[in-house]
């Protein structure tokens, strides 16, 4: 099992450019999440999905869009990149359960917007 | 007010020492609590869940105080390999699937 994978690992964009980050998981998890991690801020939830074809906003959704067309994939799009979106982006997935739930994280994508 | 607050440290301790981390959370409806570990430039990984009665996993002990909305992590007999950032994590409320992460407490274990 590869677990949670993310592509690309690194990317540099110019202001105004667009890009898509891909997250894939092979654990048959129902839930998937996108976070960003900035110094002094901790991880913050951007968007999440509780199943194929469904998405929901998290804590910091502005400037991002997501899609979950297949259960194993969760895409994060930046329509018009801004320097404030320079960050490390982590994707995570988890089982659906009514109790405690562990999230499994991908290795992250380091994005710099100039 | 942040959902989860932690002392950022850094904590520098000698091998074999006992070290304790604390965190507070603001949402009294939170029901799920965790400690995650994050190594430098790596992804977070679950260290342990935190149960109401407190729980232990080897050298690690987690405690929860719901009345004070306070979570702790105790590491005994610190090893060099324990050097990492420890993230306090709580869920967003009753039945909520979203998690809130603290900024983390950095630990360095010194030989």
């Amino acid at each position: 099992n590869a677990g949670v994978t993310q592509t690309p690992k690194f990317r540099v964009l110019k202001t105004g450019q667009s890009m898509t980050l891909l997250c894939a998981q092979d654990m048959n998890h129902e839930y998937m999440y996108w976070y960003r991690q900035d110094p002094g801020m901790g991880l913050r939830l951007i968007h999440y999905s509780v199943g194929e074809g469904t998405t929901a906003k998290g804590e910091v959704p502005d400037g991002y869009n997501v899609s979950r067309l297949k259960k194993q994939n969760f895409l994060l799009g930046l329509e018009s990149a801004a320097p404030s979106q320079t960050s490390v982006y982590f994707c995570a997935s988890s089982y659906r359960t009514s109790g405690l739930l562990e999230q499994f994280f991908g290795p992250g994508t380091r994005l710099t917007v100039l | 007010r942040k959902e989860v607050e932690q002392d950022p440290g850094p904590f520098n301790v000698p091998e074999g020492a006992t070290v304790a981390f604390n965190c507070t959370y603001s949402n009294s409806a939170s029901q799920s609590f965790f400690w995650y570990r994050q190594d430098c430039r790596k992804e977070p990984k679950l260290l342990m869940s935190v149960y109401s009665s407190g729980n232990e996993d080897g050298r690690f002990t987690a405690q929860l105080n719901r009345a004070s909305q306070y979570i702790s992590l105790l590491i005994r007999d610190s090893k060099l390999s324990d050097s990492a950032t420890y993230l306090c994590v709580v869920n967003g409320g009753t039945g909520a699937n979203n998690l809130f992460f603290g900024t983390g407490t950095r630990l360095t274990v010194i030989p």
Side-chain angles (χ1 to χ4, degrees), chain B residues 21-90:
Chain B
F21 305 138
N22 306 314
C23 114
T24 57
Y25 61 95
S26 61
N27 188 347
S28 59
S30 293
Q31 294 186 317
S32 301
F33 309 93
F34 311 88
W35 284 100
Y36 276 71
R37 170 193 168 128
Q38 187 172 25
D39 293 298
C40 188
R41 302 180 72 84
K42 298 287 189 181
E43 71 272 22
K45 292 184 180 179
L46 180 68
L47 176 67
M48 60 194 302
S49 302
V50 185
Y51 301 112
S52 295
S53 55
N55 48 298
E56 188 173 305
D57 183 2
R59 299 181 291 108
F60 299 85
T61 301
Q63 296 281 349
L64 169 65
N65 184 322
R66 285 186 184 271
S68 302
Q69 294 178 206
Y70 171 94
I71 306 164
S72 66
L73 176 69
L74 183 77
I75 305 175
R76 291 182 299 279
D77 189 22
S78 298
K79 311 290 184 192
L80 296 177
S81 58
D82 294 334
S83 297
T85 297
Y86 291 84
L87 308 175
C88 178
V89 184
V90 305

XYZ file of all heavy atoms in Angstrom, chain B residues 21-90:
565
model
N 4.001 18.065 27.966
C 3.430 19.098 27.100
C 1.965 19.281 27.470
O 1.263 18.309 27.767
C 3.494 18.695 25.626
C 4.858 18.338 25.143
C 5.039 17.254 24.310
C 5.967 19.081 25.518
C 6.295 16.921 23.847
C 7.225 18.752 25.061
C 7.390 17.661 24.230
N 1.515 20.523 27.362
C 0.117 20.803 27.667
C -0.551 21.510 26.520
O 0.119 22.173 25.715
C 0.045 21.703 28.912
C 0.792 21.102 30.072
O 0.648 19.927 30.360
N 1.596 21.897 30.744
N -1.856 21.382 26.471
C -2.589 22.134 25.476
C -3.987 22.389 25.995
O -4.492 21.632 26.845
C -2.549 21.367 24.149
S -4.047 20.711 23.503
N -4.603 23.476 25.553
C -5.982 23.775 25.906
C -6.791 23.921 24.634
O -6.253 24.288 23.584
C -6.093 25.072 26.729
O -5.516 26.151 25.977
C -5.375 24.947 28.059
N -8.077 23.616 24.726
C -8.952 23.747 23.570
C -10.176 24.556 23.952
O -10.577 24.584 25.115
C -9.343 22.372 23.007
C -10.091 21.476 23.949
C -11.480 21.409 23.941
C -9.407 20.670 24.858
C -12.169 20.583 24.808
C -10.080 19.845 25.726
C -11.460 19.803 25.704
O -12.138 18.984 26.575
N -10.780 25.219 22.967
C -11.829 26.196 23.279
C -13.244 25.659 23.108
O -14.180 26.210 23.696
C -11.656 27.440 22.402
O -11.773 27.096 21.034
N -13.427 24.604 22.317
C -14.773 24.119 22.031
C -15.165 23.009 23.006
O -14.654 21.888 22.936
C -14.839 23.596 20.589
C -16.261 23.247 20.159
O -17.160 23.158 20.988
N -16.457 23.078 18.872
N -16.074 23.324 23.904
C -16.469 22.350 24.918
C -17.198 21.146 24.308
O -17.354 20.123 24.965
C -17.364 23.017 25.965
O -18.525 23.555 25.356
N -17.647 21.272 23.040
C -18.340 20.157 22.384
C -17.379 19.177 21.723
O -17.810 18.144 21.206
C -19.322 20.702 21.345
N -16.105 19.489 21.709
C -15.130 18.570 21.100
C -15.180 17.231 21.823
O -15.305 17.178 23.049
C -13.720 19.154 21.187
O -13.612 20.304 20.373
N -15.058 16.147 21.021
C -15.182 14.818 21.612
C -14.004 13.921 21.294
O -13.851 12.873 21.925
C -16.458 14.146 21.088
C -17.735 14.812 21.542
C -18.950 14.013 21.112
O -19.015 13.531 19.987
N -19.905 13.882 22.000
N -13.211 14.299 20.300
C -12.088 13.457 19.906
C -10.794 14.235 20.099
O -10.707 15.394 19.690
C -12.219 13.034 18.444
O -13.417 12.317 18.238
N -9.806 13.564 20.690
C -8.569 14.242 21.055
C -7.387 13.356 20.696
O -7.434 12.131 20.868
C -8.555 14.528 22.566
C -9.810 15.217 23.043
C -10.881 14.475 23.519
C -9.926 16.593 22.999
C -12.052 15.090 23.941
C -11.077 17.224 23.416
C -12.145 16.474 23.879
N -6.345 14.004 20.191
C -5.195 13.244 19.715
C -3.905 14.008 19.985
O -3.903 15.231 20.091
C -5.270 13.040 18.189
C -6.590 12.523 17.679
C -7.605 13.396 17.347
C -6.796 11.170 17.518
C -8.812 12.932 16.874
C -8.004 10.689 17.038
C -9.010 11.574 16.711
N -2.819 13.263 19.993
C -1.488 13.831 19.853
C -0.890 13.263 18.567
O -0.874 12.049 18.364
C -0.593 13.482 21.039
C -0.892 14.281 22.258
C -1.621 13.895 23.340
C -0.461 15.618 22.537
N -1.688 14.902 24.269
C -0.980 15.979 23.793
C 0.313 16.562 21.836
C -0.751 17.224 24.378
C 0.544 17.792 22.412
C 0.017 18.121 23.664
N -0.453 14.161 17.702
C 0.258 13.788 16.491
C 1.716 14.200 16.640
O 2.041 15.160 17.354
C -0.322 14.491 15.254
C -1.513 13.805 14.629
C -2.747 13.798 15.267
C -1.415 13.176 13.395
C -3.847 13.175 14.697
C -2.512 12.545 12.808
C -3.722 12.552 13.462
O -4.800 11.934 12.893
N 2.574 13.488 15.926
C 3.990 13.811 15.915
C 4.350 14.229 14.496
O 3.913 13.609 13.514
C 4.791 12.578 16.328
C 6.274 12.714 16.131
C 6.993 11.402 16.254
N 8.364 11.559 15.787
C 9.428 11.194 16.483
N 9.266 10.618 17.672
N 10.635 11.377 15.997
N 5.171 15.280 14.381
C 5.618 15.728 13.068
C 7.124 15.939 13.089
O 7.629 16.785 13.826
C 4.906 17.014 12.637
C 5.217 17.423 11.202
C 4.379 18.586 10.715
O 3.892 19.391 11.496
N 4.209 18.692 9.396
N 7.821 15.160 12.294
C 9.261 15.351 12.138
C 9.513 16.474 11.137
O 8.654 16.800 10.312
C 9.916 14.049 11.672
C 9.842 12.973 12.737
O 10.420 13.197 13.823
O 9.198 11.937 12.520
N 10.721 17.020 11.204
C 11.053 18.175 10.376
C 10.812 17.881 8.903
O 11.318 16.883 8.365
C 12.510 18.562 10.629
S 12.982 20.097 9.851
N 10.021 18.731 8.246
C 9.737 18.647 6.823
C 9.042 17.347 6.424
O 9.170 16.882 5.288
C 11.014 18.848 6.008
C 11.691 20.175 6.285
C 12.958 20.359 5.480
N 12.681 20.602 4.062
C 12.403 21.798 3.556
N 12.325 22.854 4.344
N 12.183 21.935 2.261
N 8.329 16.756 7.383
C 7.572 15.543 7.107
C 6.100 15.764 7.432
O 5.731 16.797 7.985
C 8.096 14.379 7.959
C 9.535 14.015 7.671
C 9.663 13.315 6.343
C 11.060 12.764 6.155
N 11.203 12.095 4.843
N 5.279 14.777 7.117
C 3.863 14.890 7.416
C 3.578 14.507 8.863
O 4.321 13.736 9.471
C 3.050 13.981 6.470
C 3.178 12.493 6.726
C 4.345 11.865 5.992
O 5.299 12.578 5.621
O 4.288 10.632 5.806
N 2.471 14.998 9.432
C 2.078 14.578 10.781
C 1.675 13.106 10.791
O 1.092 12.603 9.818
C 0.862 15.460 11.093
C 0.908 16.564 10.111
C 1.564 16.014 8.883
N 1.971 12.455 11.905
C 1.552 11.062 12.078
C 0.958 10.906 13.472
O 1.453 11.508 14.434
C 2.740 10.105 11.900
C 3.261 10.064 10.478
C 4.368 9.048 10.320
C 4.868 9.024 8.876
N 5.970 8.075 8.673
N -0.073 10.086 13.556
C -0.728 9.899 14.839
C 0.219 9.257 15.848
O 0.815 8.209 15.590
C -1.971 9.021 14.668
C -2.746 8.741 15.948
C -3.404 10.018 16.460
C -3.801 7.660 15.727
N 0.369 9.900 17.001
C 1.144 9.318 18.094
C 0.208 8.493 18.969
O 0.451 7.338 19.245
C 1.807 10.423 18.902
C 2.568 9.993 20.139
C 3.800 9.181 19.757
C 2.963 11.195 20.987
N -0.861 9.134 19.425
C -1.836 8.416 20.233
C -3.134 9.203 20.339
O -3.133 10.432 20.255
C -1.288 8.109 21.625
C -0.888 9.293 22.445
S 0.110 8.854 23.898
C -0.960 7.730 24.786
N -4.222 8.474 20.489
C -5.492 9.099 20.810
C -5.532 9.357 22.312
O -4.775 8.755 23.071
C -6.642 8.182 20.407
O -6.582 7.874 19.032
N -6.397 10.251 22.720
C -6.506 10.588 24.138
C -7.904 10.246 24.606
O -8.890 10.754 24.058
C -6.239 12.096 24.385
C -6.233 12.391 25.890
C -4.939 12.523 23.744
N -7.999 9.389 25.608
C -9.284 8.944 26.116
C -9.598 9.634 27.437
O -8.698 10.087 28.150
C -9.285 7.424 26.292
C -8.995 6.697 24.998
C -7.818 5.988 24.824
C -9.897 6.735 23.938
C -7.535 5.336 23.637
C -9.621 6.087 22.760
C -8.440 5.385 22.605
O -8.166 4.745 21.422
N -10.870 9.662 27.764
C -11.317 10.408 28.935
C -10.652 9.930 30.220
O -10.363 10.729 31.120
C -12.831 10.278 29.100
O -13.496 10.882 28.019
N -10.381 8.641 30.289
C -9.805 8.075 31.508
C -8.286 8.175 31.523
O -7.641 7.726 32.472
C -10.227 6.617 31.633
O -9.867 5.901 30.466
N -7.722 8.760 30.470
C -6.268 8.793 30.362
C -5.767 7.481 29.781
O -6.394 6.436 29.961
N -4.682 7.508 29.075
C -4.161 6.285 28.483
C -2.659 6.360 28.319
O -2.080 7.439 28.253
C -4.861 5.963 27.157
C -4.950 7.131 26.200
O -5.576 8.154 26.494
N -4.311 7.000 25.061
N -2.087 5.175 28.255
C -0.630 5.055 28.231
C -0.240 4.155 27.070
O -0.918 3.169 26.764
C -0.177 4.438 29.561
C 1.310 4.420 29.787
C 1.648 3.942 31.195
O 1.124 4.527 32.167
O 2.411 2.969 31.316
N 0.865 4.499 26.424
C 1.407 3.663 25.359
C 2.916 3.665 25.517
O 3.594 4.587 25.066
C 0.996 4.224 23.987
C 1.483 3.353 22.843
O 2.106 2.292 23.098
O 1.234 3.708 21.681
N 3.424 2.653 26.220
C 4.856 2.596 26.474
C 5.304 3.766 27.336
O 4.808 3.964 28.440
N 6.206 4.571 26.804
C 6.745 5.706 27.562
C 5.856 6.947 27.502
O 6.174 7.969 28.099
C 8.137 6.048 27.017
C 9.152 4.918 27.138
C 10.529 5.324 26.600
N 10.515 5.501 25.149
C 10.587 6.686 24.544
N 10.696 7.797 25.259
N 10.592 6.756 23.225
N 4.783 6.853 26.767
C 3.912 8.011 26.531
C 2.601 7.866 27.301
O 1.966 6.816 27.258
C 3.606 8.142 25.027
C 4.817 8.347 24.178
C 5.566 7.270 23.730
C 5.229 9.623 23.840
C 6.694 7.465 22.951
C 6.354 9.832 23.049
C 7.082 8.745 22.609
N 2.227 8.944 28.000
C 0.964 8.965 28.737
C 0.194 10.220 28.363
O 0.754 11.325 28.391
C 1.204 8.962 30.255
O 1.938 7.798 30.617
C -0.118 8.992 31.015
N -1.065 10.047 28.003
C -1.921 11.180 27.655
C -3.035 11.312 28.685
O -3.559 10.311 29.173
C -2.516 10.988 26.268
N -3.368 12.553 29.007
C -4.431 12.827 29.962
C -5.377 13.861 29.374
O -4.954 14.746 28.632
C -3.858 13.374 31.277
C -2.963 12.412 32.035
C -3.756 11.380 32.824
O -4.975 11.505 32.962
N -3.085 10.362 33.307
N -6.647 13.741 29.737
C -7.667 14.684 29.288
C -8.435 15.186 30.507
O -8.862 14.390 31.331
C -8.630 14.001 28.314
C -9.904 14.754 27.936
C -9.574 16.018 27.164
C -10.837 13.847 27.127
N -8.614 16.481 30.597
C -9.442 17.082 31.637
C -10.527 17.882 30.933
O -10.295 19.011 30.490
C -8.590 17.981 32.545
C -9.386 18.561 33.701
O -10.559 18.926 33.550
N -8.774 18.659 34.856
N -11.715 17.299 30.819
C -12.796 17.960 30.067
C -13.282 19.218 30.777
O -13.633 20.196 30.131
C -13.973 17.005 29.887
C -13.743 15.929 28.849
C -15.022 15.140 28.639
N -14.851 14.032 27.714
C -15.021 14.152 26.401
N -15.358 15.306 25.873
N -14.862 13.093 25.626
N -13.283 19.190 32.090
C -13.793 20.359 32.824
C -12.926 21.583 32.554
O -13.436 22.697 32.391
C -13.836 20.049 34.320
N -11.624 21.367 32.499
C -10.696 22.476 32.246
C -10.358 22.620 30.770
O -9.624 23.546 30.400
C -9.403 22.270 33.044
O -9.678 22.176 34.420
N -10.843 21.683 29.943
C -10.553 21.685 28.503
C -9.045 21.695 28.284
O -8.502 22.577 27.583
C -11.282 22.853 27.810
C -12.796 22.665 27.872
C -13.593 23.794 27.260
O -14.723 24.025 27.618
N -13.028 24.512 26.327
N -8.418 20.710 28.846
C -6.951 20.653 28.930
C -6.501 19.229 28.601
O -7.108 18.253 29.034
C -6.608 21.020 30.375
C -5.204 20.843 30.827
C -4.302 21.911 30.778
C -4.777 19.636 31.360
C -3.016 21.764 31.248
C -3.483 19.484 31.814
C -2.614 20.554 31.769
O -1.339 20.409 32.236
N -5.453 19.153 27.768
C -4.897 17.868 27.375
C -3.401 17.889 27.664
O -2.759 18.934 27.473
C -5.099 17.622 25.869
C -6.587 17.778 25.487
C -4.605 16.254 25.455
C -6.805 17.923 23.998
N -2.863 16.760 28.077
C -1.427 16.713 28.353
C -0.811 15.467 27.731
O -1.495 14.482 27.456
C -1.166 16.743 29.859
O -1.651 15.562 30.463
N 0.484 15.561 27.505
C 1.269 14.425 27.019
C 2.536 14.361 27.851
O 3.253 15.362 27.959
C 1.615 14.588 25.541
C 2.519 13.497 24.955
C 1.777 12.171 24.888
C 3.012 13.902 23.564
N 2.802 13.204 28.421
C 3.999 12.995 29.230
C 4.886 11.980 28.520
O 4.403 10.915 28.114
C 3.612 12.478 30.620
C 4.746 12.263 31.615
C 5.196 13.614 32.167
C 4.309 11.355 32.761
N 6.135 12.319 28.358
C 7.096 11.393 27.763
C 8.147 11.066 28.828
O 8.828 11.966 29.340
C 7.790 11.998 26.525
C 6.752 12.460 25.493
C 8.749 10.988 25.909
C 7.364 13.175 24.290
N 8.251 9.799 29.150
C 9.247 9.366 30.139
C 10.467 8.805 29.429
O 10.385 8.310 28.297
C 8.648 8.282 31.041
C 7.559 8.761 31.979
C 7.067 7.610 32.861
N 6.495 6.530 32.058
C 5.268 6.527 31.570
N 4.460 7.549 31.824
N 4.831 5.521 30.857
N 11.623 8.864 30.112
C 12.852 8.275 29.585
C 13.075 8.693 28.131
O 13.159 7.861 27.214
C 12.772 6.739 29.694
C 14.074 6.056 29.371
O 15.145 6.703 29.469
O 14.033 4.871 28.986
N 13.164 9.981 27.893
C 13.259 10.531 26.534
C 14.410 9.912 25.754
O 15.510 9.697 26.279
C 13.456 12.046 26.601
O 12.377 12.669 27.219
N 14.141 9.635 24.490
C 15.143 9.118 23.567
C 15.472 10.183 22.519
O 14.652 11.067 22.243
C 14.608 7.868 22.835
C 13.991 6.810 23.721
C 14.999 6.110 24.567
C 14.348 4.983 25.360
N 15.274 4.465 26.411
N 16.644 10.055 21.916
C 17.011 10.982 20.850
C 15.958 10.968 19.742
O 15.650 12.000 19.137
C 18.373 10.630 20.261
C 19.576 10.752 21.199
C 20.849 10.286 20.493
C 19.746 12.180 21.695
N 15.399 9.798 19.492
C 14.403 9.641 18.429
C 13.072 10.312 18.752
O 12.195 10.388 17.882
C 14.169 8.156 18.145
O 13.743 7.491 19.329
N 12.895 10.776 19.969
C 11.668 11.501 20.325
C 11.702 12.949 19.848
O 10.693 13.650 19.908
C 11.452 11.502 21.844
C 11.172 10.118 22.408
O 10.659 9.257 21.654
O 11.475 9.896 23.591
N 12.850 13.416 19.402
C 12.973 14.795 18.909
C 12.035 14.997 17.728
O 12.134 14.301 16.712
C 14.419 15.097 18.492
O 15.286 15.003 19.594
N 11.113 15.930 17.883
C 10.080 16.174 16.864
C 9.202 17.306 17.377
O 9.413 17.831 18.471
C 9.229 14.930 16.628
N 8.205 17.653 16.574
C 7.179 18.593 17.023
C 5.920 17.800 17.340
O 5.509 16.948 16.548
C 6.890 19.653 15.944
O 8.086 20.421 15.732
C 5.777 20.587 16.377
N 5.330 18.083 18.480
C 4.150 17.351 18.927
C 2.929 18.254 18.799
O 2.889 19.356 19.345
C 4.355 16.867 20.367
C 5.411 15.794 20.419
C 6.764 16.130 20.474
C 5.068 14.446 20.352
C 7.745 15.140 20.472
C 6.034 13.454 20.356
C 7.362 13.818 20.401
O 8.341 12.837 20.385
N 1.941 17.764 18.061
C 0.750 18.543 17.740
C -0.436 18.049 18.560
O -0.748 16.859 18.554
C 0.409 18.409 16.253
C 1.522 18.686 15.251
C 1.045 18.397 13.833
C 1.994 20.119 15.363
N -1.087 18.962 19.234
C -2.313 18.663 19.964
C -3.479 18.873 18.988
O -3.529 19.898 18.301
C -2.427 19.612 21.153
S -3.915 19.435 22.138
N -4.388 17.916 18.927
C -5.442 17.943 17.910
C -6.788 17.606 18.546
O -6.879 16.643 19.315
C -5.131 16.924 16.792
C -6.160 17.014 15.678
C -3.724 17.141 16.238
N -7.816 18.387 18.202
C -9.165 18.086 18.695
C -10.138 18.182 17.533
O -9.876 18.883 16.548
C -9.595 19.054 19.822
C -8.588 19.053 20.942
C -9.802 20.449 19.294
